[in-house]
């Protein structure tokens, strides 16, 4: 039937989800190898992944190692019946069906499940299959992607490869904020390192907004990043600072006012001079309305909020502007399905989160508007993916800290707005948010609780892959997405090689 290498002709599987067969001890088998069971009786082909390897004690005569066999356990990932349709395996292959390695026609068949966003090669055991690239279907990406990686396992490389394929495919907008200055031009400490600006389609598919000086921006073809006072929403404070209930009350009192009035008020007026509700003197500043509104607030809380706004303005001075904003241009580029890189080297975490919150809010508002006003038309709906690094900062169980991001996780997909949440600690992400994610990229997780969290939220059964996940090397990933009917072992391309 096919020309894969025959491993054994004695499948003795014990259940629909557990196959067992034997192979000579010298066979180069490894965990994660893909094998095919040809069930000639039912004219069906079953694909399975090796999940366990052990010595066969029964076959061991004790004289020579060559006499022994290996007992291989495998987990089925799907089967093709006479109608040629790939289904989850609900039947057992016939006893003693032959088991073999993948043949070229199997690889061609598996290729049809792949989408458009290439990130690496499918790995069978330890061998990447050059003819079988892993391509995540673009249409599932607005249903949120989680990238889970222990430090040093190749997360930045994965994100760059993902961006590179997104630049080429132009099927959705992708926002990525880089506070470390490694994505635009590569790492300055490594002369071999390349950035997104080196991509051959960068001039059409990439747009970089930067806080770097004009000379650098001109040289690297980057736009200036500006955020206006009105882009700020007072509720951003909850994300950036730990607020006491009294400070939260001040924030709530200020919600009706535009950012420029709030910033002007707190930067230029002395809250000490505000008329309290026991004083009868009138306030003589420019913002009578704000003064009236907050006069009953706790004075200590008011002072703290003033300090927080002053801090925010201070640390955002590299991009905060009274009136000018890059946000309309950023959204225009995202709607044109470009990768938008926000390059903010050496910025603080508060500034990064502030930017992310401001841009995410504007994006959700715009995309929601397009859908609700019916302007999406007959064409493909607009889709955008917003990347959050260290996502546990804003998607934890502490709901008051999650702001706009929880809203996007819960309702964004209706409007084509997805999150790409990158984290080393999936156990610290709200399980309700994890449950919304339909694509998981798992790159080595040493912590058992992290792996259990992932396994309980993934759309495929990943528990059987626990051993494989524990033994992932740098650059390897298990990708589980609703766009592909089985979890895929992947070796991620090295970015510098991929864009060659
Ligand atoms: N798929 C891959 N193929 C080859 N080399 C890789 C691959 N992925 C990562 N590397 C290399 O491994 C090193 C670490 O990768 P990377 O910076 O992406 O890890 P990281 O998980 O982002 O680390 P950190 O958490 O410290 O930022 C880099 O030198 C990178 O070039």
């Amino acid at each position: 039937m096919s020309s894969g290498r025959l491993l054994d002709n004695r499948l003795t599987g014990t259940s629909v989800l557990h196959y067992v067969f034997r192979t000579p001890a010298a066979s180069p088998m490894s965990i994660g190898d893909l094998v095919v069971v040809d069930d000639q009786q039912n004219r069906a082909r079953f694909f399975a992944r090796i999940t366990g390897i052990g010595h066969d004690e029964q076959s061991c005569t004790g004289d020579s190692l060559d006499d022994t066999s290996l007992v291989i356990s495998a987990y089925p990932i799907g089967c093709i019946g006479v109608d040629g349709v790939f289904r989850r395996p609900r039947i057992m292959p016939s006893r003693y069906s032959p088991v073999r390695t993948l043949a070229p026609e199997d690889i061609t068949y598996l290729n049809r499940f792949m989408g458009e966003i290439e990130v690496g090669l499918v790995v069978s055991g330890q061998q990447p299959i050059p003819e079988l690239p892993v391509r995540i279907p673009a249409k599932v990406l607005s249903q949120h992607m989680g990238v889970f990686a222990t430090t040093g396992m190749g997360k930045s490389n994965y994100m760059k490869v993902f961006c590179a394929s997104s630049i080429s495919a132009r099927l959705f907008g992708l926002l990525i904020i880089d506070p470390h200055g490694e994505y635009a031009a590569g790492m300055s400490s490594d002369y071999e390192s390349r950035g997104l600006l080196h991509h051959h389609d960068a001039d059409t598919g990439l747009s970089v907004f930067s806080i770097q000086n004009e000379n650098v921006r001109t040289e690297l073809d980057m736009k200036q990043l500006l955020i206006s006072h009105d882009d700020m929403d007072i509720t951003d404070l909850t994300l950036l600072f730990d607020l006491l209930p009294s400070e939260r009350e001040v924030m709530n009192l200020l919600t009706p006012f535009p950012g420029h009035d709030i910033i002007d008020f707190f930067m230029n007026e002395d809250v000490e001079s505000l008329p309290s509700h026991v004083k009868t003197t009138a306030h003589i500043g420019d913002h009578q309305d704000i003064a009236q509104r907050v006069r009953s607030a706790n004075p200590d809380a008011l002072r703290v909020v003033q300090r927080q706004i002053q801090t925010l303005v201070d640390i955002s001075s590299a991009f905060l502007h009274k009136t000018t904003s890059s946000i309309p241009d950023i959204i225009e580029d995202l709607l044109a399905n470009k990768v938008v890189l926000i390059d903010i080297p050496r910025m603080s975490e508060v500034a990064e989160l502030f930017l992310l919150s401001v841009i995410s809010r504007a994006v959700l508002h715009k995309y929601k508007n397009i859908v609700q006003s019916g302007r999406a038309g007959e064409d493909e709906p607009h889709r955008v993916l917003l990347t959050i690094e260290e996502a546990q900062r804003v998607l934890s169980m502490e709901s008051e800290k999650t702001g706009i991001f929880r809203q996007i996780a819960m309702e964004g997909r209706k409007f084509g707005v997805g999150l790409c949440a990158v984290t080393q600690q999936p156990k610290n992400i709200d399980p309700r948010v994890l449950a919304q994610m339909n694509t998981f990229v798992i790159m080595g997780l040493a912590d058992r609780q992290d792996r259990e969290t992932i396994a309980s939220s993934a759309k495929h059964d990943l528990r059987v892959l626990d051993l494989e996940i524990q033994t992932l090397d740098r650059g390897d990933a298990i990708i589980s997405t609703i766009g592909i009917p089985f979890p895929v072992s992947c070796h991620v391309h090295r970015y510098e090689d991929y864009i060659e």
Side-chain angles (χ1 to χ4, degrees):
M1 186 178 186
S2 297
S3 56
R5 182 167 53 85
L6 190 68
L7 294 167
D8 182 47
N9 58 2
R10 289 186 306 123
L11 180 91
T12 54
T14 50
S15 79
V16 169
L17 291 180
H18 185 216
Y19 300 168
V20 177
F21 61 94
R22 286 175 171 70
T23 184
S27 304
M29 305 301 300
S30 34
I31 296 290
D33 266 334
L34 293 173
V35 293
V36 178
V37 181
D38 287 318
D39 181 352
Q40 276 127 1
Q41 211 171 321
N42 293 311
R43 289 199 291 151
R45 194 169 11 150
F46 294 76
F47 291 85
R49 181 201 299 271
I50 293 181
T51 51
I53 306 174
H55 284 291
D56 180 8
E57 297 303 333
Q58 288 166 15
S59 73
C60 183
T61 61
D63 297 338
S64 158
L65 272 181
D66 295 343
D67 295 338
T68 64
S69 315
L70 296 176
V71 186
I72 311 287
S73 319
Y75 180 82
I77 58 173
C79 71
I80 315 166
V82 270
D83 55 3
V85 176
F86 188 88
R87 295 196 174 81
R88 295 209 170 174
R90 293 208 177 93
I91 53 167
M92 277 288 290
S94 308
R95 201 168 164 84
Y96 303 135
S97 292
V99 187
R100 59 173 173 80
T101 56
L102 289 183
E105 69 178 60
D106 304 314
I107 292 173
T108 308
Y109 188 87
L110 292 176
N111 238 319
R112 70 164 74 168
F113 297 117
M114 298 299 166
E116 306 85 5
I117 306 303
E118 180 168 332
V119 292
L121 298 178
V122 172
V123 176
S124 175
Q126 320 226 35
Q127 287 305 317
I129 306 173
E131 305 78 21
L132 191 51
V134 179
R135 294 188 303 264
I136 302 174
K139 65 175 188 306
V140 302
L141 286 167
S142 52
Q143 300 172 33
H144 314 303
M145 172 165 77
V147 179
F148 310 111
T150 310
T151 181
M153 291 303 276
K155 174 235 345 153
S156 307
N157 178 73
Y158 170 82
M159 287 309 299
K160 286 204 287 190
V161 171
F162 183 79
C163 287
S165 290
S166 306
I167 288 172
S168 306
R170 301 282 300 270
L171 291 169
F172 53 89
L174 174 64
L175 177 84
I176 182 157
I177 297 191
D178 177 19
H180 307 297
E182 60 181 316
Y183 285 107
M187 308 256 278
S188 50
S189 55
D190 177 358
Y191 77 97
E192 277 191 6
S193 172
R194 294 284 176 275
L196 300 182
L197 287 164
H198 296 106
H199 191 290
H200 49 83
D201 291 329
D203 52 342
T204 52
L206 174 72
S207 182
V208 187
F209 291 80
S210 177
I211 56 164
Q212 305 216 47
N213 68 47
E214 198 177 343
N215 290 344
V216 177
R217 292 202 313 270
T218 311
E219 189 193 325
L220 297 177
D221 193 18
M222 309 196 279
K223 299 167 203 165
Q224 185 179 14
L225 175 72
L226 292 173
I227 295 296
S228 77
H229 286 188
D230 271 347
D231 290 328
M232 188 206 72
D233 187 295
I234 189 69
T235 56
D236 288 328
L237 293 188
T238 48
L239 194 69
L240 312 174
F241 304 102
D242 293 320
L243 301 185
L244 295 174
S246 55
E247 292 151 16
R248 196 174 288 277
E249 199 184 313
V250 173
M251 189 193 75
N252 289 337
L253 288 170
L254 290 166
T255 44
F257 299 99
H260 75 267
D261 278 347
I262 295 174
I263 291 176
D264 195 42
F265 175 74
F266 282 105
M267 294 301 289
N268 301 319
E269 305 206 11
D270 185 2
V271 295
E272 304 293 344
S273 71
L274 285 178
S276 77
H277 55 297
V278 286
K279 284 196 231 159
T280 48
T281 49
H283 178 67
I284 45 162
D286 282 341
H287 297 283
Q288 297 283 346
D289 40 1
I290 297 184
Q292 282 307 320
R293 185 115 176 126
V294 296
R295 64 186 298 196
S296 60
N298 174 324
D300 287 338
L302 212 49
R303 274 191 289 276
V304 172
V305 170
Q306 178 168 44
R307 257 200 323 276
Q308 288 170 341
I309 290 179
Q310 285 167 347
T311 306
L312 183 61
V313 170
D314 220 30
I315 56 181
S316 309
S317 59
F319 55 80
L320 201 61
H321 189 271
K322 254 189 162 158
T323 50
T324 314
S325 172
S326 313
I327 288 192
D329 293 338
I330 291 174
I331 291 184
E332 194 181 315
D333 286 335
L334 290 172
L335 284 168
N337 290 342
K338 292 187 184 187
V339 171
V340 173
L341 174 64
I342 308 292
D343 174 59
I344 49 166
R346 296 174 298 282
M347 277 273 117
S348 71
E349 184 177 343
V350 173
E352 178 206 346
L353 286 179
F354 174 51
L355 265 174
L356 190 58
S357 177
V358 161
I359 301 174
S360 302
R361 185 170 46 242
V363 168
L364 181 64
H365 181 77
K366 177 71 180 184
Y367 280 63
K368 198 171 180 172
N369 215 275
I370 293 175
V371 171
Q372 291 179 339
S373 64
R375 275 184 287 134
E378 298 289 297
D379 304 339
E380 274 281 285
H382 290 295
R383 283 189 292 254
V384 64
L385 200 58
L386 309 173
T387 307
I388 314 175
E389 301 257 359
E390 305 293 343
Q392 73 284 352
R393 294 178 297 178
V394 294
L395 291 173
S396 68
M397 250 97 72
E398 286 178 71
S399 53
E400 69 275 11
K401 280 260 169 201
T402 57
I404 181 70
F405 306 109
R406 171 178 297 269
Q407 196 185 344
I408 294 177
M410 296 303 167
E411 63 170 56
R413 70 167 72 178
K414 284 189 282 187
F415 311 112
V417 182
L419 295 178
C420 168
V422 184
T423 180
Q424 292 185 38
Q425 304 157 15
K427 63 173 180 282
N428 292 333
I429 302 269
D430 187 338
R432 286 165 297 183
V433 171
L434 277 180
Q436 299 294 323
M437 294 183 182
N438 278 339
T439 299
F440 281 5
V441 178
I442 305 154
M443 306 189 74
L445 286 173
D447 184 283
R448 188 168 52 86
Q449 212 185 326
D450 278 329
R451 293 198 306 276
E452 280 169 5
T453 303
I454 294 298
S456 60
S457 311
K459 302 296 178 276
H460 296 124
D461 184 4
L462 298 183
R463 282 174 222 278
V464 284
L465 303 184
D466 196 54
L467 185 58
E468 205 177 325
I469 293 173
Q470 282 182 61
T471 53
L472 287 173
D473 282 328
R474 188 167 71 184
D476 289 338
I478 300 285
I479 299 184
S480 164
T481 168
I482 55 160
I484 303 176
F486 47 87
V488 178
S489 295
C490 169
H491 183 73
V492 179
H493 295 305
R494 180 173 173 264
Y495 176 74
E496 284 72 13
D497 300 336
Y498 184 52
I499 60 160
E500 277 288 289

